[in-house]
Amino acid sequence: MNIVVLSGSPRKKGRTGIATRFISRKYDFSLIDLASTDLPLFNGEESQKQLEVVQDLRKAIKQADGVILASPEYHSAMSGCLKNALDFLSSEQFAHKPVALLAVAGGGKGGINALNNMRTVGRGVYANVIPRQLVLDPHCFDYEEDALDENAAKLVDALVTELKMYAESYKMLKKAEYV
């Protein structure tokens, strides 16, 4: 199963990166870390579609059986770099594809607005954003091991299990040429 994790933080050493690296390692999923890409600011011009970094992003998402979108919550929304990356994508890459949502919050409150923001954009590209979603607060992380603590890892397991269920259905529909 080809699942792509899209790490939507501009920070190279942030908690979103810890979570997405952990998920990528644990489940052997592909990771696209936006903090390590040279994706330009989307301007809608056709010439940007020819850029290798844009073509690679579009190809990876199109070929995926499922996607995990992960973002910190910045000012009650997903990060600007994740929104920018999603602006390069469309229903051509996402139609009917199952997508799981993960927000990383600062603690105490937060995360839900980023999830809602990602869910709204998911609808805009005709993705099948799954019902289960997850917010991770600072206490969920094992900073020394670049990992999640045991309780957070169980929550991620539930998210991944649901995503895989939808991804299996998506693969069957695709094979039958329904999608």
Side-chain angles (χ1 to χ4, degrees), residues 105-110 137-138:
K109 63 177 184 134
D137 285 316

Side-chain angles (χ1 to χ4, degrees), residues 5 14 37-38 49 65-66 76 101-102 104 106 129 137 143 148 166:
V5 182
T37 67
D38 292 323
K49 289 182 182 178
D65 299 313
S76 299
L101 305 178
L102 173 84
V104 176
V129 181
D137 285 316
Y143 297 94
L148 299 177
Y166 280 91

